[in-house]
Amino acid sequence: MSGTTWLAKLRGGLAVCGLLAVAACGGASGDGDGPVTVSVWAWYPEFKGVVEAFNASHPDIKVEWTNAGTGADHYAKLKTAITAGKGAPDVAMVEFQQIPTFVILDALIDMGEHGANEDEHLYAEWAWKQATDGDKVYAIPVDGGPMALMYRKDLFEQHGIPVPTTWAEYADAAARIKAVDPGAHIASFGSDGGWLNGLMWQSGCRPYGYSHTTARDQVRINLTAPECERVIDLLGDLVDRGLMAKDPFFTADASAALDSGKYWTWAAAGWTPGYLAGSLKNTAGKWAVAPMPQWTAGADEQGDWGGSTFTVTKQAKNPEAATTVARELFGKSAAAWEIGLDKAFLYPLVKDVAADPAFTGKAYDFFAGQKVNEIFVPVSEKLGDFQFTPFQDFVYGELTDRSAEALSGGRPWSSVLEETQKNVVVYAEKQGFKVSR
């Protein structure tokens, strides 16, 4: 690693005091008998080392970490504690799409009251906008999932099939793949609401609109916009023609399919290199990454799948110290990001970390030495504004379930988003929201 890189400079001492003087360089207020204890719930990989690094550099604050579960399990426990008025952690990991839900539950403090607005310049613009509402800071971004096309470079080259740059070329490549290998598919339709959302985002679709501060009882839902519909139409057609498989993501069977040549591509996210490298052994070195196919030749539309933040709950005993933890567990911490990048394979939303040559220039053995972050970083930089609803888990559930019905032949693909729209509107109105398109 070059001594002039951002991370190397921090190792030289720039990160000793953290972002808030209340931490290592001034002290969080406590009872005077020892450090302030701040509880954290998170499921980040390799997080133990991140906590240890924070505690070592912040003698006045002690983080106590609990993995309360992953995804839905984590959120169920968190919502139960919030409803009960006790038992919630001081700091909680929350994915971007879940932030409006916890805001409307009145579960999160405004970290802007404790100096967090000073951090705006650190983060990718799109991520900061999703974590905030006006000058209210409800979350501190950590990692994201800018999307790109991972593909079997060896198979595309062997059979002379061009790597698709448009979705029309993608459909053509799907047919050519099936012609050369009847047992292969260009990819699998994973029936995952978050993945579909990322593809619609990349299509230019903006189906949701919500602001807690300006109109907390109003929400915009427009899942049947043409930019949304064309995603389902294309993928559904490929499924019906037998050119795209129907297997769920993140299963042993899916990993085996990726590792056997059954799937030739995966439109996935910036965190996926770590997942693939840990799951696929037979095809390591045979994969490559290309920009996402575009709906219009020469366009440059991008999407995101996944990403998470730190929030501070209103049950926090010391909101100021908890805000310090949320801001600095990762933030500008060189020690934390060394773990986050090299062991947990997070995609960093801190702009200087993402732009550092140690990250952008990182060669991945799994991708035959390709510096894949040279593709992912510009995607994150170009992501536009995107909003979520206060009931995004319900929306994702609908996208997943209605797609599963189409996969099984239980409904035409043309009705997937129409039915999802109808069900989401009914749900929103029952929750007291005024819905517009």
Side-chain angles (χ1 to χ4, degrees):
M1 181 179 297
S2 169
T4 61
T5 66
W6 185 84
L7 290 176
K9 289 180 180 178
L10 288 186
R11 290 193 188 96
L14 294 181
V16 174
C17 293
L19 296 175
L20 286 182
V22 70
C25 300
S29 58
D31 58 13
D33 296 330
V36 173
T37 298
V38 175
S39 59
V40 176
W41 286 6
W43 69 79
Y44 289 110
E46 305 291 339
F47 194 57
K48 182 175 182 289
V50 173
V51 171
E52 291 172 347
F54 179 91
N55 286 341
S57 62
H58 294 72
D60 291 345
I61 301 178
K62 179 185 178 182
V63 169
E64 291 188 347
W65 166 53
T66 298
N67 185 340
T70 303
D73 291 340
H74 168 93
Y75 294 127
K77 292 175 182 177
L78 187 56
K79 289 175 182 177
T80 296
I82 289 166
T83 301
K86 60 181 180 180
D90 300 321
V91 175
M93 176 182 175
V94 171
E95 294 167 284
F96 282 101
Q97 73 271 13
Q98 292 283 347
I99 294 171
T101 299
F102 287 98
V103 170
I104 205 165
L105 289 174
D106 198 29
L108 308 179
I109 73 163
D110 171 15
M111 287 183 278
E113 296 178 356
H114 302 285
N117 276 303
E118 298 170 5
D119 296 351
E120 179 177 0
H121 69 285
L122 297 176
Y123 295 98
E125 183 178 356
W126 68 270
W128 187 258
K129 286 183 177 179
Q130 288 191 15
T132 59
D133 197 345
D135 62 356
K136 295 184 181 298
V137 181
Y138 293 114
I140 301 296
V142 178
D143 70 305
M147 298 183 75
L149 186 70
M150 302 182 191
Y151 68 99
R152 281 288 300 273
K153 183 178 181 181
D154 61 324
L155 294 177
F156 274 86
E157 291 180 348
Q158 176 185 342
H159 295 285
I161 300 175
V163 178
T165 62
T166 67
W167 286 108
E169 291 175 359
Y170 183 89
D172 181 66
R176 295 180 65 176
I177 289 168
K178 182 62 68 171
V180 300
D181 184 353
H185 302 78
I186 193 166
S188 182
F189 188 105
S191 194
D192 180 287
W195 176 71
L196 288 173
N197 193 89
L199 293 178
M200 291 191 295
W201 184 342
Q202 194 261 341
S203 176
C205 175
R206 298 294 184 270
Y208 324 115
Y210 180 74
S211 172
H212 176 77
T213 56
T214 59
R216 64 175 297 167
D217 65 338
Q218 298 179 33
V219 64
R220 182 177 59 80
I221 307 292
N222 188 14
L223 285 157
T224 55
E227 295 83 2
C228 305
E229 292 277 14
R230 65 184 178 182
V231 174
I232 301 299
D233 289 345
L234 173 77
L235 300 184
D237 179 64
L238 294 179
V239 169
D240 287 347
R241 292 164 59 196
L243 306 181
M244 179 172 266
K246 304 178 182 181
D247 304 321
F249 297 145
F250 310 116
T251 64
D253 287 346
S255 294
L258 287 166
D259 212 17
S260 68
K262 180 180 178 181
Y263 307 155
W264 285 29
T265 74
W266 190 15
W271 43 262
T272 323
Y275 170 77
L276 292 178
S279 303
L280 311 188
K281 304 303 180 184
N282 297 328
T283 54
K286 298 180 179 180
W287 290 84
V289 177
M292 285 285 281
Q294 297 293 313
W295 287 94
T296 302
D300 196 10
E301 293 288 338
Q302 308 299 342
D304 180 90
W305 176 22
S308 53
T309 71
F310 283 123
T311 63
V312 175
T313 74
K314 288 194 172 180
Q315 293 183 30
K317 302 172 187 66
N318 187 319
E320 188 173 10
T323 297
T324 299
V325 171
R327 295 174 69 187
E328 298 187 24
L329 267 167
F330 280 93
K332 291 175 66 176
S333 169
W337 277 116
E338 187 168 16
I339 295 169
L341 301 182
D342 295 340
K343 295 182 179 180
F345 298 101
L346 302 180
Y347 179 87
L349 292 176
V350 177
K351 290 188 291 187
D352 284 350
V353 176
D356 189 277
F359 182 67
T360 56
K362 180 180 177 64
Y364 289 81
D365 292 340
F366 182 83
F367 294 105
Q370 184 185 4
K371 299 174 182 178
V372 301
N373 293 324
E374 291 180 346
I375 292 176
F376 286 115
V377 170
V379 172
S380 182
E381 291 173 345
K382 296 169 185 174
L383 284 170
D385 190 20
F386 194 93
Q387 297 179 346
F388 293 102
T389 70
F391 38 83
Q392 200 64 34
D393 52 352
F394 181 84
V395 178
Y396 280 4
E398 280 292 311
L399 285 171
T400 300
D401 292 347
R402 303 295 78 77
S403 297
E405 291 172 355
L407 286 168
S408 66
R411 72 166 53 253
W413 286 98
S414 59
S415 73
V416 166
L417 290 183
E418 180 181 0
E419 187 70 11
T420 299
Q421 171 80 18
K422 182 179 72 175
N423 293 346
V424 170
V425 169
V426 169
Y427 179 85
E429 290 177 344
K430 285 183 178 179
Q431 304 303 312
F433 291 96
K434 298 175 183 176
V435 181
S436 67
R437 283 181 177 266

